[in-house]
């Protein structure tokens, strides 16, 4: 039975974590590459498996909000309110770190990212382990986050000791990150918990951060990127854009929320979901798929401007590393 299998897997996974090994596990957002957050040698392995620069901080996953003070020096009323409203769930809080937290976790910064994931396997793993599990997304640095166990194998293969298979992640995009370590809260990375969700709980608007934060890897322009050249094209410009492709540009694949607007040889069309939650759920899986399809270009039709699409627009802009292609 699946439930029994998970019990066995979890016990083994906990042992592997205690011995300083790496355990990839599902969360509701994406798969994480987990290591004991208090074991510097294990954490080193995370950075080498990912090929990630060591000054990029990791999120520490905890079982519940009662563990916040194990990692943060203090928990403000705002942090408490957000944790109560959204945990377990796809929200990461940046707080001032407790003194014992290892520098390798925080990238030498005075702050720490903390999250309680909402996935039964992640929860069992965290409860079984008891401590914090540092876990970046289980992909090579700069590449697309994995939303299935197969994608973790593709990305990291033998570098991981155990992969817990929880099927496809429900949300499909990384958590919302909110910085509470400064005078004013700021959203560093949009996610499934929207600015409006946060405003409703805090009764005030929290702005997106526009500050230059090079060590927040999610803030780098080209991040979450496929290997194939990927372009974002404005909805109205799409037919003209496709028409202008030359023989050298082909074959191409186009991801759009409508049926084909232009038929031509060597153009593959992928119809993307209409609703933002469904689109988010599918996006990385589709990108990963088409990235292996031997296309010369991936063309993505732009998505709506409203707030429900903020996280998706953010990831699309990063995947393409460019501004929108508009009618010229
Ligand atoms: O949904 C998620 O957040 C997934 C799952 C596995 O929990 N994790 C994830 O981790 O996306 P990662 O490392 O791929 O992205 C975490 C982001 C990075 O951009 C990192 O720089 C930022 O969080 N971060 C972590 N600690 C931080 C801190 N103390 N200050 C600012 N940014 C921080
Ligand atoms: Mg990542």
């Amino acid at each position: 039975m699946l439930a029994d299998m998970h019990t066995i897997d979890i016990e083994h996974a906990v042992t592997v974590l205690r011995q300083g090994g790496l355990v990839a596990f599902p969360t509701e957002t994406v798969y994480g590459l987990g290591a004991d957050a208090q074991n510097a040698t294990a954490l080193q392995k995370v950075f080498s498996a990912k090929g990630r620069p060591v000054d990029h901080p990791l999120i520490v996953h905890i079982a519940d909000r009662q563990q916040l003070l194990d990692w943060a020096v203090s928990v403000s009323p705002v942090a408490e309110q957000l944790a109560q409203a959204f945990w377990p769930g796809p929200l990461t809080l940046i707080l001032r770190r407790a003194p014992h937290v290892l520098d390798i976790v925080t990238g030498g910064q005075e702050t720490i990212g903390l999250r309680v994931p909402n996935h039964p396997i992640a929860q069992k793993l965290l409860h079984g382990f008891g401590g914090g599990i540092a876990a970046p997304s289980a992909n090579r640095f700069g590449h697309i986050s994995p939303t299935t166990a197969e994608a973790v194998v593709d990305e990291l293969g033998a570098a991981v000791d155990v992969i817990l298979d929880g099927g496809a992640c429900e949300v499909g995009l990384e958590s919302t990150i909110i910085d509470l370590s400064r005078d004013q809260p700021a959203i560093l990375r949009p996610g499934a918990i929207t600015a409006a969700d946060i405003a409703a709980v805090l009764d005030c608007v929290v702005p997106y951060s526009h500050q230059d934060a090079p060590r927040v890897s999610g803030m780098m322009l080209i991040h979450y990127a496929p290997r194939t050249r990927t372009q974002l094209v404005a909805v109205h410009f799409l037919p003209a854009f496709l028409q202008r492709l030359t023989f050298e540009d082909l074959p191409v694949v186009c991801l759009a929320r409508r049926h084909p607007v232009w038929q031509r040889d060597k153009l593959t069309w992928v119809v993307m979901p209409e609703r933002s939650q469904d689109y988010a759920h599918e996006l990385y899986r589709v990108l990963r798929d088409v990235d292996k399809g031997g296309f010369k270009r991936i063309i993505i039709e732009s998505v709506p401007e409203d707030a429900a699409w903020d996280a998706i627009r953010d990831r699309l802009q990063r995947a393409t590393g460019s501004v929108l292609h508009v009618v010229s």
Side-chain angles (χ1 to χ4, degrees), residues 39-40 43-44 47 54 56-58 97 101-108:
N39 181 334
L43 295 165
Q44 277 294 349
F47 287 91
V54 283
H56 284 249
L58 303 174
R97 68 162 172 178
V101 176
L102 297 174
D103 275 343
I104 189 169
V105 169
T106 67

Side-chain angles (χ1 to χ4, degrees), residues 98 224 259:
Y224 315 114
H259 289 286

Side-chain angles (χ1 to χ4, degrees), residues 12 18 23-24 29 37 47 51 58 65 88 97 101 133 149 159 162 169 180 194 197 222 228 277 280 300-301 309 322:
H12 176 56
R18 294 212 169 111
V23 174
T29 59
F47 287 91
L58 303 174
R65 70 176 197 279
R97 68 162 172 178
V101 176
I133 301 178
V162 173
C169 299
L180 301 177
T194 64
D197 296 333
I222 299 194
T228 313
Q277 288 100 319
I300 308 177
E301 180 190 53
W309 292 81
S322 70

Side-chain angles (χ1 to χ4, degrees), residues 79-97:
E80 189 58 50
Q81 258 178 301
L82 292 175
Q84 194 159 354
F86 298 115
W87 282 356
L91 181 71
T92 296
L93 304 181
I94 306 293
L95 302 174
R96 300 195 71 75
R97 68 162 172 178

Side-chain angles (χ1 to χ4, degrees), residues 29 52 57 59 61 111 115 136-137 175 177 189 215-218:
T29 59
R52 176 168 168 148
I59 294 173
H61 297 68
T111 57
R115 171 162 122 77
S137 51
S175 61
I177 302 181
R189 180 172 74 181
R215 282 193 288 165
V216 181
S217 53

Side-chain angles (χ1 to χ4, degrees), residues 203-252:
D203 218 9
C204 71
V205 175
V206 176
Y208 287 114
S209 168
H210 294 295
Q211 64 180 342
D212 188 28
R215 282 193 288 165
V216 181
S217 53
M219 300 292 276
M220 286 162 60
L221 193 55
I222 299 194
H223 203 68
Y224 315 114
R227 297 190 167 93
T228 313
R229 181 177 175 198
T230 305
Q231 286 171 290
L232 191 59
V233 180
V235 173
H236 301 300
F237 189 39
L238 187 64
F241 188 93
L242 293 174
Q243 222 164 340
R244 278 185 211 168
L245 293 173
T246 64
F247 183 75
E248 287 78 55
D249 301 323
L250 302 172
V252 300

Side-chain angles (χ1 to χ4, degrees), residues 254-266:
C254 181
L255 278 50
R257 292 163 61 243
R258 51 178 158 163
H259 289 286
V261 292
W262 182 252
Q263 309 266 7
R264 63 181 295 172
D265 213 24
K266 301 198 173 180

